[in-house]
Amino acid sequence: CLQVATNVTEQKHNVSREVRGQNLGLCRGFRGCTVWLTGLSGAGKTSIAFELEAYLVSKGIPAYGLDGDNIRTGLNKNLGFSQVDREENIRRVAEVAKLFADSGVVSICSFVSPFAEDREMARKIHKDADLKFFEIYIDTPLEVCETRDTKGLYKKARQGVIQGFTGVTQAYEAPDTPDLRVSTEGVTVRESTLKLIRLLEDEAIIPKFIKEDEPLPELYVSESLKAALEAESKTLPALSIAEVELQWLQILAEGWASPLKGFMREQEYLQALHFNCLLNEDETLRVNQSVPIVLSATESDKQRLEGVSALALHYNGRVVAVLRKPEFYFQRKEERCARQFGTTNRDHPYIKMIYESGDYLVGGEIEVLERIQWHDGLDAYRLTPNELRQKFREMKADAVFAFQLRNPIHNGHALLMSDCRRQLLERGFKNPVLLLHPLGGWTKDDDVPLPVRMAQHQAVLDSGVLDREHTVLAIFPSPMMYAGPTEVQWHAKARMNAGANHYIVGRDPAGMPHPDKALY
């Protein structure tokens, strides 16, 4: 008979859940819980569980998927499918999930778990440990599950080869009051997973993130308030901005740098410069932002404008935006260049611009009067993140891979892009779409001009070198900084805001020859 240990005493950890939450993952705060997916074989439990796991990990939230088949190849390989063994299977998994959750991990369990009593036992194990437990019923009709029977299990069960198979010869006790009911019939895995994500957000397990089907916040004033803002701008003191700063204004206004709401204040600037990220207001969430997006001002500008509640930003004598509650702070140029570029050599073209700019920076939230146009015959290619997201939805893309370039496409580039699509198809994606996204802001004098590059890119598409049916050619309006891998993070983050989830990085990304040619 089974001998049960009686001389066992629970040992308390030295590390509390609060301390784990402050130090585990990119999102501070304890988020440990168990998400329990139950449903028939073929309902979609594992697909949704692993999609949720990938989403959470991509946001810096520790998560792990415990799958029924995987568990039975290791921890529970000595168990069969009798009612007693099924109960023990669920008990063991619930105990393991509890340990994961207690460590601060979102534990995602995908098990048929056909008996209500067993699922209630799993819930009680978590309740006794003061851990949150969410029962998710993946409610897919039996006939739909049978059409997804890639393992041939239903067929074998109906032939009598497999006994006690849930849904055929073994009853499934559907949850009466699950925390969430998800139907997978006629919807994608992503759409089903989104329901679980929203549940975790509503339960304050994870922060609220912008979803694929939600628009990014833009910083353009609404049409109904535009006249009032124009009138107000005429009464405000003015600060003139240069062309590169207008390009950064466009970046901010269109949402490429979201969640930034304007030119960086000093705290945001220091976070980006030294830690390549931004913290939200309660400092629980870190968002990648590897380069400062700032507006320079001179000593005389500071003396003239410090203390005003708002100022109007002018470009070529025309008001383009209003900046609220301006904050002036000293620009430590050597520190900025050393941190961002790894050099302070003034022959570097962007570093040269920094040293020639004002000695102060001014930050604040912005309201932009209207969409920024350049009237160079290429504005049709300048799609905003929201427009790109919509285009990808219309193309029914299930993966978007972006390629950043500031030079004409050559054979190596084409091979990278074609091979990336091949790899995505091999991974199981059905319709991966390429975002061919040349940089369209300021570049150094000896780079190929944007109109020439765009003509060449279009010719490459027209010639069939790249699959034009699965490619979107658009312009990324950011200036080029030539800051190497630090800048590459910015390039990738901006494309993620536009809906991309894969990014191709070349051999020398955002690089250039060392400006001191005598030494290097």
Side-chain angles (χ1 to χ4, degrees):
C1 67
L2 182 67
Q3 183 177 358
V4 179
T6 57
N7 57 338
V8 174
T9 303
E10 181 184 2
Q11 303 299 310
K12 298 292 185 182
H13 289 271
N14 292 342
V15 180
S16 69
R17 290 176 183 171
E18 290 73 20
V19 171
R20 292 186 199 280
Q22 288 298 312
N23 294 280
L24 190 64
L26 296 179
C27 297
R28 294 180 180 177
F30 183 78
R31 306 182 187 281
C33 68
T34 289
V35 180
W36 191 282
L37 284 71
T38 176
L40 295 171
S41 178
K45 302 182 299 298
T46 299
S47 297
I48 294 170
F50 287 169
E51 183 78 9
L52 177 62
E53 177 189 37
Y55 174 85
L56 294 176
V57 170
S58 75
K59 301 298 183 183
I61 298 171
Y64 193 83
L66 295 169
D67 177 70
D69 285 354
N70 293 348
I71 290 292
R72 282 188 175 273
T73 64
L75 177 67
N76 292 349
K77 66 180 180 180
N78 64 327
L79 298 178
F81 289 90
S82 67
Q83 185 161 342
V84 172
D85 279 2
R86 284 178 182 267
E87 179 181 344
E88 175 61 12
N89 180 54
I90 297 305
R91 188 195 68 79
R92 291 183 191 178
V93 171
E95 291 287 356
V96 171
K98 180 192 75 173
L99 295 176
F100 272 86
D102 186 52
S103 74
V105 174
V106 178
S107 179
I108 309 165
C109 302
S110 49
F111 292 81
V112 174
S113 44
F115 304 124
E117 186 177 358
D118 294 346
R119 297 193 299 268
E120 188 55 37
M121 171 187 62
R123 183 187 292 275
K124 185 176 185 303
I125 286 171
H126 287 76
K127 184 178 180 181
D128 290 347
D130 195 25
L131 290 164
K132 290 189 176 182
F133 179 94
F134 302 101
E135 183 182 47
I136 314 298
Y137 176 29
I138 308 302
D139 185 7
T140 305
L142 176 62
E143 57 272 19
V144 175
C145 292
E146 290 202 55
T147 65
R148 304 172 178 173
D149 189 18
T150 56
K151 303 173 187 175
L153 300 179
Y154 281 100
K155 183 179 179 180
K156 291 179 181 178
R158 295 201 181 279
Q159 292 172 344
V161 177
I162 299 178
Q163 298 296 319
F165 189 78
T166 305
V168 179
T169 54
Q170 169 71 61
Y172 175 77
E173 299 173 3
D176 292 326
T177 55
D179 295 286
L180 181 67
R181 184 185 301 267
V182 177
S183 173
T184 64
E185 191 175 7
V187 297
T188 66
V189 172
R190 282 190 183 184
E191 290 169 336
S192 297
T193 306
L194 189 58
K195 295 180 181 179
L196 276 69
I197 293 169
R198 290 202 166 109
L199 171 69
L200 294 179
E201 289 178 344
D202 292 342
E203 294 290 335
I205 298 296
I206 63 175
K208 291 195 173 183
F209 298 100
I210 297 291
K211 311 297 186 304
E212 292 179 7
D213 61 345
E214 296 174 351
L216 274 176
E218 296 180 341
L219 304 182
Y220 292 110
V221 67
S222 65
E223 197 61 36
S224 61
L225 298 176
K226 182 178 176 181
L229 187 65
E230 286 179 329
E232 180 192 4
S233 69
K234 295 175 182 177
T235 68
L236 297 175
L239 178 66
S240 293
I241 63 175
E243 182 176 299
V244 170
E245 291 167 331
L246 182 66
Q247 292 170 0
W248 285 120
L249 183 72
Q250 181 177 4
I251 285 289
L252 292 167
E254 293 180 353
W256 299 99
S258 181
L260 267 182
K261 297 179 181 178
F263 288 104
M264 288 179 174
R265 298 180 181 277
E266 187 170 26
Q267 182 176 0
E268 295 167 322
Y269 166 75
L270 292 173
Q271 288 170 3
L273 187 66
H274 290 279
F275 301 103
N276 289 11
C277 70
L278 297 173
L279 292 175
N280 64 351
E281 291 180 0
D282 61 3
E283 297 189 352
T284 61
L285 176 62
R286 282 178 275 176
V287 178
N288 182 275
Q289 182 61 50
S290 61
V291 299
I293 299 181
V294 292
L295 180 60
S296 68
T298 64
E299 174 74 40
S300 61
D301 289 329
K302 177 180 180 292
Q303 291 178 359
R304 179 172 56 89
L305 299 171
E306 194 167 31
V308 302
S309 61
L311 54 87
L313 300 181
H314 287 235
Y315 176 71
N316 284 348
R318 178 174 58 91
V319 178
V320 290
V322 169
L323 187 145
R324 302 285 182 190
K325 298 179 181 178
E327 174 190 342
F328 289 85
Y329 54 100
F330 187 68
Q331 179 177 198
R332 295 181 290 276
K333 297 178 181 180
E334 184 177 28
E335 176 189 20
R336 177 183 174 186
C337 295
R339 291 291 305 182
Q340 184 173 342
F341 299 91
T343 179
T344 58
N345 191 305
R346 299 190 187 203
D347 290 329
H348 183 290
Y350 205 92
I351 291 175
K352 182 174 183 289
M353 280 200 295
I354 291 173
Y355 274 101
E356 292 175 352
S357 66
D359 289 336
Y360 290 87
L361 300 174
V362 55
E365 292 66 45
I366 59 171
E367 296 172 80
V368 183
L369 282 167
E370 60 187 8
R371 185 163 179 170
I372 295 167
Q373 303 277 349
W374 297 92
H375 307 291
D376 57 357
L378 299 174
D379 282 329
Y381 288 103
R382 292 185 175 94
L383 302 180
T384 68
N386 283 326
E387 289 170 341
L388 285 168
R389 284 173 169 232
Q390 179 59 34
K391 195 166 188 67
F392 299 143
R393 283 193 290 268
E394 292 169 357
M395 297 173 73
K396 294 182 168 48
D398 59 354
V400 177
F401 58 108
F403 190 64
Q404 142 90 30
L405 65 172
R406 69 174 197 270
N407 293 304
I409 296 172
H410 56 62
N411 287 339
H413 294 152
L415 179 61
L416 276 173
M417 290 182 271
S418 298
D419 192 62
C420 184
R421 176 172 166 79
R422 177 191 62 78
Q423 290 187 44
L424 291 172
L425 288 169
E426 288 179 353
R427 291 188 193 181
F429 293 100
K430 304 300 182 185
N431 187 31
V433 169
L434 166 64
L435 172 58
L436 181 57
H437 215 203
L439 182 138
W442 174 88
T443 57
K444 55 190 175 69
D445 293 341
D446 58 351
D447 278 354
V448 178
L450 179 63
V452 176
R453 287 186 279 129
M454 290 304 296
Q456 192 260 357
H457 297 345
Q458 189 63 59
V460 167
L461 282 179
D462 294 342
S463 67
V465 173
L466 294 173
D467 182 358
R468 65 181 305 160
E469 297 301 317
H470 298 93
T471 301
V472 175
L473 174 60
I475 291 175
F476 178 44
S478 175
M480 190 73 199
M481 290 167 280
Y482 307 93
T486 298
E487 185 175 1
V488 171
Q489 293 181 54
W490 155 242
H491 290 164
K493 173 255 176 72
R495 277 35 178 260
M496 290 170 66
N497 275 350
N501 37 38
H502 301 271
Y503 185 75
I504 301 172
V505 179
R507 61 171 181 80
D508 182 25
M512 59 168 281
H514 194 282
D516 194 340
K517 295 180 175 57
L519 293 177
Y520 296 90

